[in-house]
PDB file of all heavy atoms in Angstrom:
ATOM      1  N   GLN A   4     117.818 122.681 120.273  1.00  0.00           N
ATOM      2  CA  GLN A   4     117.287 123.654 119.339  1.00  0.00           C
ATOM      3  C   GLN A   4     118.244 123.885 118.181  1.00  0.00           C
ATOM      4  O   GLN A   4     118.660 124.971 117.882  1.00  0.00           O
ATOM      5  CB  GLN A   4     117.067 125.060 120.005  1.00  0.00           C
ATOM      6  CG  GLN A   4     116.011 124.877 121.197  1.00  0.00           C
ATOM      7  CD  GLN A   4     115.633 126.202 121.645  1.00  0.00           C
ATOM      8  OE1 GLN A   4     116.231 127.309 121.458  1.00  0.00           O
ATOM      9  NE2 GLN A   4     114.416 126.269 122.389  1.00  0.00           N
ATOM     10  N   HIS A   5     118.699 122.770 117.565  1.00  0.00           N
ATOM     11  CA  HIS A   5     119.714 122.702 116.539  1.00  0.00           C
ATOM     12  C   HIS A   5     118.965 122.388 115.222  1.00  0.00           C
ATOM     13  O   HIS A   5     118.224 121.305 115.118  1.00  0.00           O
ATOM     14  CB  HIS A   5     120.770 121.722 116.896  1.00  0.00           C
ATOM     15  CG  HIS A   5     121.822 121.596 115.791  1.00  0.00           C
ATOM     16  ND1 HIS A   5     123.114 122.291 115.874  1.00  0.00           N
ATOM     17  CD2 HIS A   5     121.939 120.863 114.584  1.00  0.00           C
ATOM     18  CE1 HIS A   5     123.817 122.017 114.871  1.00  0.00           C
ATOM     19  NE2 HIS A   5     123.132 121.191 114.099  1.00  0.00           N
ATOM     20  N   THR A   6     119.152 123.085 114.228  1.00  0.00           N
ATOM     21  CA  THR A   6     118.393 122.777 112.897  1.00  0.00           C
ATOM     22  C   THR A   6     118.898 121.542 112.252  1.00  0.00           C
ATOM     23  O   THR A   6     120.172 121.386 112.002  1.00  0.00           O
ATOM     24  CB  THR A   6     118.681 124.032 111.915  1.00  0.00           C
ATOM     25  OG1 THR A   6     118.180 125.215 112.529  1.00  0.00           O
ATOM     26  CG2 THR A   6     117.755 123.788 110.706  1.00  0.00           C
ATOM     27  N   LEU A   7     118.052 120.662 111.931  1.00  0.00           N
ATOM     28  CA  LEU A   7     118.305 119.409 111.275  1.00  0.00           C
ATOM     29  C   LEU A   7     117.417 119.314 110.010  1.00  0.00           C
ATOM     30  O   LEU A   7     116.216 119.554 110.085  1.00  0.00           O
ATOM     31  CB  LEU A   7     118.038 118.132 112.164  1.00  0.00           C
ATOM     32  CG  LEU A   7     118.145 116.827 111.398  1.00  0.00           C
ATOM     33  CD1 LEU A   7     119.486 116.450 110.927  1.00  0.00           C
ATOM     34  CD2 LEU A   7     117.573 115.685 112.295  1.00  0.00           C
ATOM     35  N   ILE A   8     117.940 119.180 108.818  1.00  0.00           N
ATOM     36  CA  ILE A   8     117.180 118.870 107.613  1.00  0.00           C
ATOM     37  C   ILE A   8     117.535 117.410 107.137  1.00  0.00           C
ATOM     38  O   ILE A   8     118.641 117.077 107.064  1.00  0.00           O
ATOM     39  CB  ILE A   8     117.498 119.814 106.457  1.00  0.00           C
ATOM     40  CG1 ILE A   8     117.164 121.268 106.918  1.00  0.00           C
ATOM     41  CG2 ILE A   8     116.579 119.420 105.294  1.00  0.00           C
ATOM     42  CD1 ILE A   8     117.412 122.267 105.872  1.00  0.00           C
ATOM     43  N   VAL A   9     116.464 116.532 107.036  1.00  0.00           N
ATOM     44  CA  VAL A   9     116.612 115.217 106.763  1.00  0.00           C
ATOM     45  C   VAL A   9     116.324 115.044 105.235  1.00  0.00           C
ATOM     46  O   VAL A   9     115.106 115.282 104.864  1.00  0.00           O
ATOM     47  CB  VAL A   9     115.776 114.341 107.565  1.00  0.00           C
ATOM     48  CG1 VAL A   9     115.779 112.799 107.170  1.00  0.00           C
ATOM     49  CG2 VAL A   9     115.899 114.465 109.066  1.00  0.00           C
ATOM     50  N   PRO A  10     117.344 114.717 104.379  1.00  0.00           N
ATOM     51  CA  PRO A  10     117.037 114.710 102.982  1.00  0.00           C
ATOM     52  C   PRO A  10     116.773 113.341 102.325  1.00  0.00           C
ATOM     53  O   PRO A  10     116.501 113.250 101.242  1.00  0.00           O
ATOM     54  CB  PRO A  10     118.401 115.310 102.341  1.00  0.00           C
ATOM     55  CG  PRO A  10     119.384 114.703 103.336  1.00  0.00           C
ATOM     56  CD  PRO A  10     118.759 114.664 104.788  1.00  0.00           C
ATOM     57  N   CYS A  11     116.872 112.238 103.204  1.00  0.00           N
ATOM     58  CA  CYS A  11     116.732 110.968 102.664  1.00  0.00           C
ATOM     59  C   CYS A  11     115.725 110.019 103.413  1.00  0.00           C
ATOM     60  O   CYS A  11     114.870 109.387 102.914  1.00  0.00           O
ATOM     61  CB  CYS A  11     118.104 110.158 102.624  1.00  0.00           C
ATOM     62  SG  CYS A  11     119.315 111.072 101.618  1.00  0.00           S
ATOM     63  N   ALA A  12     115.941 109.960 104.766  1.00  0.00           N
ATOM     64  CA  ALA A  12     115.134 109.070 105.568  1.00  0.00           C
ATOM     65  C   ALA A  12     113.625 109.390 105.365  1.00  0.00           C
ATOM     66  O   ALA A  12     113.316 110.532 105.544  1.00  0.00           O
ATOM     67  CB  ALA A  12     115.605 109.018 106.998  1.00  0.00           C
ATOM     68  N   THR A  13     112.808 108.390 105.322  1.00  0.00           N
ATOM     69  CA  THR A  13     111.425 108.631 104.897  1.00  0.00           C
ATOM     70  C   THR A  13     110.418 108.249 105.970  1.00  0.00           C
ATOM     71  O   THR A  13     109.220 108.398 105.756  1.00  0.00           O
ATOM     72  CB  THR A  13     111.101 107.941 103.655  1.00  0.00           C
ATOM     73  OG1 THR A  13     111.352 106.448 103.765  1.00  0.00           O
ATOM     74  CG2 THR A  13     111.936 108.461 102.479  1.00  0.00           C
ATOM     75  N   GLY A  14     110.766 107.671 107.042  1.00  0.00           N
ATOM     76  CA  GLY A  14     109.826 107.256 108.141  1.00  0.00           C
ATOM     77  C   GLY A  14     108.955 108.361 108.463  1.00  0.00           C
ATOM     78  O   GLY A  14     109.318 109.342 108.771  1.00  0.00           O
ATOM     79  N   THR A  15     107.585 108.031 108.517  1.00  0.00           N
ATOM     80  CA  THR A  15     106.519 108.930 108.690  1.00  0.00           C
ATOM     81  C   THR A  15     106.774 109.672 110.114  1.00  0.00           C
ATOM     82  O   THR A  15     106.562 110.843 110.256  1.00  0.00           O
ATOM     83  CB  THR A  15     105.293 108.294 108.716  1.00  0.00           C
ATOM     84  OG1 THR A  15     104.962 107.683 107.420  1.00  0.00           O
ATOM     85  CG2 THR A  15     104.104 109.322 108.973  1.00  0.00           C
ATOM     86  N   ALA A  16     107.267 108.806 111.133  1.00  0.00           N
ATOM     87  CA  ALA A  16     107.443 109.444 112.458  1.00  0.00           C
ATOM     88  C   ALA A  16     108.427 110.579 112.636  1.00  0.00           C
ATOM     89  O   ALA A  16     108.480 111.217 113.559  1.00  0.00           O
ATOM     90  CB  ALA A  16     107.764 108.291 113.436  1.00  0.00           C
ATOM     91  N   ILE A  17     109.468 110.626 111.605  1.00  0.00           N
ATOM     92  CA  ILE A  17     110.554 111.510 111.821  1.00  0.00           C
ATOM     93  C   ILE A  17     110.014 112.842 111.951  1.00  0.00           C
ATOM     94  O   ILE A  17     110.593 113.703 112.840  1.00  0.00           O
ATOM     95  CB  ILE A  17     111.503 111.556 110.535  1.00  0.00           C
ATOM     96  CG1 ILE A  17     112.295 110.146 110.713  1.00  0.00           C
ATOM     97  CG2 ILE A  17     112.574 112.537 110.608  1.00  0.00           C
ATOM     98  CD1 ILE A  17     112.989 109.748 109.368  1.00  0.00           C
ATOM     99  N   THR A  18     109.140 113.339 111.128  1.00  0.00           N
ATOM    100  CA  THR A  18     108.583 114.696 111.221  1.00  0.00           C
ATOM    101  C   THR A  18     107.396 114.771 112.107  1.00  0.00           C
ATOM    102  O   THR A  18     106.748 115.906 112.221  1.00  0.00           O
ATOM    103  CB  THR A  18     108.351 115.410 110.011  1.00  0.00           C
ATOM    104  OG1 THR A  18     107.654 114.469 109.097  1.00  0.00           O
ATOM    105  CG2 THR A  18     109.623 115.753 109.271  1.00  0.00           C
ATOM    106  N   ALA A  19     106.937 113.681 112.700  1.00  0.00           N
ATOM    107  CA  ALA A  19     105.701 113.683 113.475  1.00  0.00           C
ATOM    108  C   ALA A  19     105.943 113.500 114.896  1.00  0.00           C
ATOM    109  O   ALA A  19     105.189 113.697 115.738  1.00  0.00           O
ATOM    110  CB  ALA A  19     104.856 112.442 113.069  1.00  0.00           C
ATOM    111  N   LYS A  20     107.219 113.242 115.313  1.00  0.00           N
ATOM    112  CA  LYS A  20     107.600 113.064 116.778  1.00  0.00           C
ATOM    113  C   LYS A  20     107.304 114.352 117.663  1.00  0.00           C
ATOM    114  O   LYS A  20     106.923 114.182 118.661  1.00  0.00           O
ATOM    115  CB  LYS A  20     109.125 112.629 116.816  1.00  0.00           C
ATOM    116  CG  LYS A  20     109.532 112.256 118.176  1.00  0.00           C
ATOM    117  CD  LYS A  20     110.846 111.747 118.358  1.00  0.00           C
ATOM    118  CE  LYS A  20     111.196 111.417 119.818  1.00  0.00           C
ATOM    119  NZ  LYS A  20     112.531 110.732 119.998  1.00  0.00           N
ATOM    120  N   TYR A  21     107.598 115.473 116.921  1.00  0.00           N
ATOM    121  CA  TYR A  21     107.385 116.730 117.716  1.00  0.00           C
ATOM    122  C   TYR A  21     106.443 117.605 116.825  1.00  0.00           C
ATOM    123  O   TYR A  21     106.542 117.606 115.594  1.00  0.00           O
ATOM    124  CB  TYR A  21     108.698 117.510 117.822  1.00  0.00           C
ATOM    125  CG  TYR A  21     109.915 116.626 118.268  1.00  0.00           C
ATOM    126  CD1 TYR A  21     110.874 116.348 117.428  1.00  0.00           C
ATOM    127  CD2 TYR A  21     109.944 116.309 119.659  1.00  0.00           C
ATOM    128  CE1 TYR A  21     111.961 115.603 117.908  1.00  0.00           C
ATOM    129  CE2 TYR A  21     111.024 115.476 120.070  1.00  0.00           C
ATOM    130  CZ  TYR A  21     111.946 115.119 119.192  1.00  0.00           C
ATOM    131  OH  TYR A  21     113.046 114.437 119.639  1.00  0.00           O
ATOM    132  N   PRO A  22     105.557 118.342 117.413  1.00  0.00           N
ATOM    133  CA  PRO A  22     104.671 119.244 116.638  1.00  0.00           C
ATOM    134  C   PRO A  22     105.456 120.271 115.896  1.00  0.00           C
ATOM    135  O   PRO A  22     106.414 120.725 116.419  1.00  0.00           O
ATOM    136  CB  PRO A  22     103.792 119.891 117.725  1.00  0.00           C
ATOM    137  CG  PRO A  22     103.803 119.002 118.892  1.00  0.00           C
ATOM    138  CD  PRO A  22     105.341 118.369 118.905  1.00  0.00           C
ATOM    139  N   ALA A  23     105.090 120.509 114.635  1.00  0.00           N
ATOM    140  CA  ALA A  23     105.862 121.394 113.818  1.00  0.00           C
ATOM    141  C   ALA A  23     106.039 122.733 114.400  1.00  0.00           C
ATOM    142  O   ALA A  23     107.111 123.340 114.202  1.00  0.00           O
ATOM    143  CB  ALA A  23     105.238 121.507 112.458  1.00  0.00           C
ATOM    144  N   ALA A  24     105.196 123.223 115.188  1.00  0.00           N
ATOM    145  CA  ALA A  24     105.223 124.535 115.727  1.00  0.00           C
ATOM    146  C   ALA A  24     106.401 124.702 116.733  1.00  0.00           C
ATOM    147  O   ALA A  24     106.960 125.700 116.932  1.00  0.00           O
ATOM    148  CB  ALA A  24     104.037 124.832 116.521  1.00  0.00           C
ATOM    149  N   GLN A  25     106.818 123.402 117.355  1.00  0.00           N
ATOM    150  CA  GLN A  25     107.892 123.532 118.286  1.00  0.00           C
ATOM    151  C   GLN A  25     109.237 122.808 117.604  1.00  0.00           C
ATOM    152  O   GLN A  25     110.227 122.819 118.322  1.00  0.00           O
ATOM    153  CB  GLN A  25     107.547 122.687 119.612  1.00  0.00           C
ATOM    154  CG  GLN A  25     106.622 123.428 120.460  1.00  0.00           C
ATOM    155  CD  GLN A  25     105.222 123.420 120.087  1.00  0.00           C
ATOM    156  OE1 GLN A  25     104.651 122.297 119.782  1.00  0.00           O
ATOM    157  NE2 GLN A  25     104.481 124.528 119.929  1.00  0.00           N
ATOM    158  N   SER A  26     109.039 122.156 116.561  1.00  0.00           N
ATOM    159  CA  SER A  26     110.178 121.251 115.983  1.00  0.00           C
ATOM    160  C   SER A  26     111.153 121.990 115.255  1.00  0.00           C
ATOM    161  O   SER A  26     110.984 122.920 114.610  1.00  0.00           O
ATOM    162  CB  SER A  26     109.474 120.168 115.092  1.00  0.00           C
ATOM    163  OG  SER A  26     110.519 119.394 114.560  1.00  0.00           O
ATOM    164  N   PHE A  27     112.430 121.417 115.417  1.00  0.00           N
ATOM    165  CA  PHE A  27     113.613 121.942 114.667  1.00  0.00           C
ATOM    166  C   PHE A  27     114.060 120.847 113.643  1.00  0.00           C
ATOM    167  O   PHE A  27     115.135 121.001 113.094  1.00  0.00           O
ATOM    168  CB  PHE A  27     114.752 122.145 115.673  1.00  0.00           C
ATOM    169  CG  PHE A  27     114.464 123.219 116.620  1.00  0.00           C
ATOM    170  CD1 PHE A  27     113.762 123.108 117.841  1.00  0.00           C
ATOM    171  CD2 PHE A  27     114.791 124.653 116.297  1.00  0.00           C
ATOM    172  CE1 PHE A  27     113.507 124.177 118.703  1.00  0.00           C
ATOM    173  CE2 PHE A  27     114.495 125.622 117.173  1.00  0.00           C
ATOM    174  CZ  PHE A  27     113.822 125.406 118.317  1.00  0.00           C
ATOM    175  N   ILE A  28     113.075 119.910 113.354  1.00  0.00           N
ATOM    176  CA  ILE A  28     113.394 118.844 112.454  1.00  0.00           C
ATOM    177  C   ILE A  28     112.575 119.119 111.180  1.00  0.00           C
ATOM    178  O   ILE A  28     111.314 119.186 111.152  1.00  0.00           O
ATOM    179  CB  ILE A  28     112.922 117.433 113.008  1.00  0.00           C
ATOM    180  CG1 ILE A  28     113.496 117.398 114.469  1.00  0.00           C
ATOM    181  CG2 ILE A  28     113.440 116.322 111.978  1.00  0.00           C
ATOM    182  CD1 ILE A  28     115.012 117.378 114.669  1.00  0.00           C
ATOM    183  N   PHE A  29     113.347 119.210 110.043  1.00  0.00           N
ATOM    184  CA  PHE A  29     112.695 119.417 108.726  1.00  0.00           C
ATOM    185  C   PHE A  29     113.217 118.314 107.751  1.00  0.00           C
ATOM    186  O   PHE A  29     114.036 117.631 107.961  1.00  0.00           O
ATOM    187  CB  PHE A  29     113.264 120.763 108.150  1.00  0.00           C
ATOM    188  CG  PHE A  29     112.894 121.917 108.992  1.00  0.00           C
ATOM    189  CD1 PHE A  29     113.572 122.309 110.059  1.00  0.00           C
ATOM    190  CD2 PHE A  29     111.754 122.763 108.673  1.00  0.00           C
ATOM    191  CE1 PHE A  29     113.326 123.381 110.907  1.00  0.00           C
ATOM    192  CE2 PHE A  29     111.418 123.817 109.495  1.00  0.00           C
ATOM    193  CZ  PHE A  29     112.220 124.090 110.523  1.00  0.00           C
ATOM    194  N   ARG A  30     112.326 118.163 106.602  1.00  0.00           N
ATOM    195  CA  ARG A  30     112.658 117.059 105.695  1.00  0.00           C
ATOM    196  C   ARG A  30     112.412 117.469 104.293  1.00  0.00           C
ATOM    197  O   ARG A  30     111.413 118.068 103.983  1.00  0.00           O
ATOM    198  CB  ARG A  30     111.842 115.876 106.090  1.00  0.00           C
ATOM    199  CG  ARG A  30     112.128 114.547 105.203  1.00  0.00           C
ATOM    200  CD  ARG A  30     111.669 113.237 105.635  1.00  0.00           C
ATOM    201  NE  ARG A  30     110.286 113.278 106.218  1.00  0.00           N
ATOM    202  CZ  ARG A  30     109.762 112.320 106.828  1.00  0.00           C
ATOM    203  NH1 ARG A  30     110.522 111.258 107.176  1.00  0.00           N
ATOM    204  NH2 ARG A  30     108.580 112.337 107.430  1.00  0.00           N
ATOM    205  N   THR A  31     113.329 117.049 103.304  1.00  0.00           N
ATOM    206  CA  THR A  31     113.131 117.172 101.978  1.00  0.00           C
ATOM    207  C   THR A  31     112.805 115.898 101.229  1.00  0.00           C
ATOM    208  O   THR A  31     112.900 115.809 100.011  1.00  0.00           O
ATOM    209  CB  THR A  31     114.380 117.964 101.293  1.00  0.00           C
ATOM    210  OG1 THR A  31     115.530 117.198 101.599  1.00  0.00           O
ATOM    211  CG2 THR A  31     114.416 119.405 101.881  1.00  0.00           C
ATOM    212  N   ALA A  32     112.582 114.862 101.897  1.00  0.00           N
ATOM    213  CA  ALA A  32     112.345 113.599 101.275  1.00  0.00           C
ATOM    214  C   ALA A  32     110.724 113.235 101.371  1.00  0.00           C
ATOM    215  O   ALA A  32     110.050 113.924 102.302  1.00  0.00           O
ATOM    216  CB  ALA A  32     113.003 112.442 101.987  1.00  0.00           C
ATOM    217  N   ALA A  33     110.260 112.344 100.664  1.00  0.00           N
ATOM    218  CA  ALA A  33     108.800 111.983 100.693  1.00  0.00           C
ATOM    219  C   ALA A  33     108.547 111.151 101.839  1.00  0.00           C
ATOM    220  O   ALA A  33     109.130 110.032 101.950  1.00  0.00           O
ATOM    221  CB  ALA A  33     108.304 111.397  99.393  1.00  0.00           C
ATOM    222  N   PRO A  34     107.627 111.440 102.813  1.00  0.00           N
ATOM    223  CA  PRO A  34     107.381 110.526 103.964  1.00  0.00           C
ATOM    224  C   PRO A  34     106.708 109.208 103.456  1.00  0.00           C
ATOM    225  O   PRO A  34     106.075 109.208 102.486  1.00  0.00           O
ATOM    226  CB  PRO A  34     106.252 111.346 104.728  1.00  0.00           C
ATOM    227  CG  PRO A  34     106.504 112.701 104.238  1.00  0.00           C
ATOM    228  CD  PRO A  34     106.862 112.738 102.933  1.00  0.00           C
ATOM    229  N   ASP A  35     106.989 108.192 104.170  1.00  0.00           N
ATOM    230  CA  ASP A  35     106.437 106.866 103.817  1.00  0.00           C
ATOM    231  C   ASP A  35     104.910 106.926 103.819  1.00  0.00           C
ATOM    232  O   ASP A  35     104.386 106.212 103.013  1.00  0.00           O
ATOM    233  CB  ASP A  35     106.886 105.876 104.881  1.00  0.00           C
ATOM    234  CG  ASP A  35     108.296 105.454 104.696  1.00  0.00           C
ATOM    235  OD1 ASP A  35     108.946 105.805 103.634  1.00  0.00           O
ATOM    236  OD2 ASP A  35     108.917 104.883 105.688  1.00  0.00           O
ATOM    237  N   GLN A  36     104.257 107.682 104.481  1.00  0.00           N
ATOM    238  CA  GLN A  36     102.726 107.903 104.436  1.00  0.00           C
ATOM    239  C   GLN A  36     102.305 108.331 103.137  1.00  0.00           C
ATOM    240  O   GLN A  36     101.243 107.774 102.633  1.00  0.00           O
ATOM    241  CB  GLN A  36     102.347 108.902 105.594  1.00  0.00           C
ATOM    242  CG  GLN A  36     100.840 109.006 105.696  1.00  0.00           C
ATOM    243  CD  GLN A  36     100.475 109.861 106.748  1.00  0.00           C
ATOM    244  OE1 GLN A  36     101.033 110.922 106.984  1.00  0.00           O
ATOM    245  NE2 GLN A  36      99.254 109.575 107.472  1.00  0.00           N
ATOM    246  N   HIS A  37     103.112 109.175 102.484  1.00  0.00           N
ATOM    247  CA  HIS A  37     102.739 109.607 101.093  1.00  0.00           C
ATOM    248  C   HIS A  37     103.138 108.509 100.133  1.00  0.00           C
ATOM    249  O   HIS A  37     102.361 108.213  99.061  1.00  0.00           O
ATOM    250  CB  HIS A  37     103.482 110.895 100.732  1.00  0.00           C
ATOM    251  CG  HIS A  37     103.040 112.034 101.529  1.00  0.00           C
ATOM    252  ND1 HIS A  37     101.851 112.158 102.103  1.00  0.00           N
ATOM    253  CD2 HIS A  37     103.672 113.388 101.700  1.00  0.00           C
ATOM    254  CE1 HIS A  37     101.805 113.337 102.805  1.00  0.00           C
ATOM    255  NE2 HIS A  37     102.938 114.023 102.480  1.00  0.00           N
ATOM    256  N   GLN A  38     104.315 107.815 100.324  1.00  0.00           N
ATOM    257  CA  GLN A  38     104.672 106.834  99.267  1.00  0.00           C
ATOM    258  C   GLN A  38     103.813 105.680  99.369  1.00  0.00           C
ATOM    259  O   GLN A  38     103.480 105.083  98.277  1.00  0.00           O
ATOM    260  CB  GLN A  38     106.132 106.284  99.777  1.00  0.00           C
ATOM    261  CG  GLN A  38     107.164 107.393  99.544  1.00  0.00           C
ATOM    262  CD  GLN A  38     108.593 106.808  99.573  1.00  0.00           C
ATOM    263  OE1 GLN A  38     109.000 105.982  98.782  1.00  0.00           O
ATOM    264  NE2 GLN A  38     109.278 107.162 100.646  1.00  0.00           N
ATOM    265  N   THR A  39     103.289 105.189 100.408  1.00  0.00           N
ATOM    266  CA  THR A  39     102.391 104.084 100.530  1.00  0.00           C
ATOM    267  C   THR A  39     101.006 104.447  99.987  1.00  0.00           C
ATOM    268  O   THR A  39     100.467 103.553  99.181  1.00  0.00           O
ATOM    269  CB  THR A  39     102.145 103.687 102.019  1.00  0.00           C
ATOM    270  OG1 THR A  39     101.832 104.714 102.844  1.00  0.00           O
ATOM    271  CG2 THR A  39     103.446 103.008 102.569  1.00  0.00           C
ATOM    272  N   GLN A  40     100.616 105.719 100.104  1.00  0.00           N
ATOM    273  CA  GLN A  40      99.226 106.042  99.498  1.00  0.00           C
ATOM    274  C   GLN A  40      99.508 106.106  98.068  1.00  0.00           C
ATOM    275  O   GLN A  40      98.572 105.769  97.230  1.00  0.00           O
ATOM    276  CB  GLN A  40      98.788 107.422 100.047  1.00  0.00           C
ATOM    277  CG  GLN A  40      97.475 107.841  99.691  1.00  0.00           C
ATOM    278  CD  GLN A  40      96.412 107.018 100.224  1.00  0.00           C
ATOM    279  OE1 GLN A  40      96.369 106.600 101.363  1.00  0.00           O
ATOM    280  NE2 GLN A  40      95.582 106.332  99.263  1.00  0.00           N
ATOM    281  N   PHE A  41     100.572 106.644  97.600  1.00  0.00           N
ATOM    282  CA  PHE A  41     100.800 106.748  96.113  1.00  0.00           C
ATOM    283  C   PHE A  41     100.816 105.321  95.459  1.00  0.00           C
ATOM    284  O   PHE A  41     100.254 105.166  94.424  1.00  0.00           O
ATOM    285  CB  PHE A  41     102.134 107.383  95.906  1.00  0.00           C
ATOM    286  CG  PHE A  41     102.581 107.558  94.419  1.00  0.00           C
ATOM    287  CD1 PHE A  41     102.180 108.754  93.815  1.00  0.00           C
ATOM    288  CD2 PHE A  41     103.323 106.698  93.710  1.00  0.00           C
ATOM    289  CE1 PHE A  41     102.525 108.865  92.367  1.00  0.00           C
ATOM    290  CE2 PHE A  41     103.604 106.839  92.565  1.00  0.00           C
ATOM    291  CZ  PHE A  41     103.296 107.967  91.763  1.00  0.00           C
ATOM    292  N   LEU A  42     101.447 104.485  96.098  1.00  0.00           N
ATOM    293  CA  LEU A  42     101.463 103.044  95.560  1.00  0.00           C
ATOM    294  C   LEU A  42      99.979 102.409  95.501  1.00  0.00           C
ATOM    295  O   LEU A  42      99.676 101.871  94.500  1.00  0.00           O
ATOM    296  CB  LEU A  42     102.447 102.194  96.308  1.00  0.00           C
ATOM    297  CG  LEU A  42     103.885 102.446  96.200  1.00  0.00           C
ATOM    298  CD1 LEU A  42     104.726 101.591  97.170  1.00  0.00           C
ATOM    299  CD2 LEU A  42     104.455 102.273  94.804  1.00  0.00           C
ATOM    300  N   VAL A  43      99.487 102.521  96.605  1.00  0.00           N
ATOM    301  CA  VAL A  43      97.924 101.922  96.750  1.00  0.00           C
ATOM    302  C   VAL A  43      97.113 102.624  95.646  1.00  0.00           C
ATOM    303  O   VAL A  43      96.287 101.972  94.984  1.00  0.00           O
ATOM    304  CB  VAL A  43      97.395 102.086  98.058  1.00  0.00           C
ATOM    305  CG1 VAL A  43      95.944 101.680  98.025  1.00  0.00           C
ATOM    306  CG2 VAL A  43      98.109 101.210  98.987  1.00  0.00           C
TER     307      VAL A  43
END
């Protein structure tokens, strides 16, 4: 239960591994799911 903010790594799974309601993992980078959609 330790707060982690990920500012660079973009793998979609990083913030999807745990449901947000229970997760202590946050991110300020753009997920790859968004980047790929943007490019397409």
Side-chain angles (χ1 to χ4, degrees):
Q4 297 189 344
H5 180 97
T6 306
L7 170 69
I8 301 183
V9 180
C11 302
T13 58
T15 301
I17 290 172
T18 47
K20 183 172 183 179
Y21 315 106
Q25 288 82 48
S26 178
F27 294 87
I28 314 302
F29 299 81
R30 177 162 53 188
T31 55
D35 288 342
Q36 186 176 35
H37 294 341
Q38 293 194 63
T39 53
Q40 188 63 55
F41 180 85
L42 291 175
V43 170

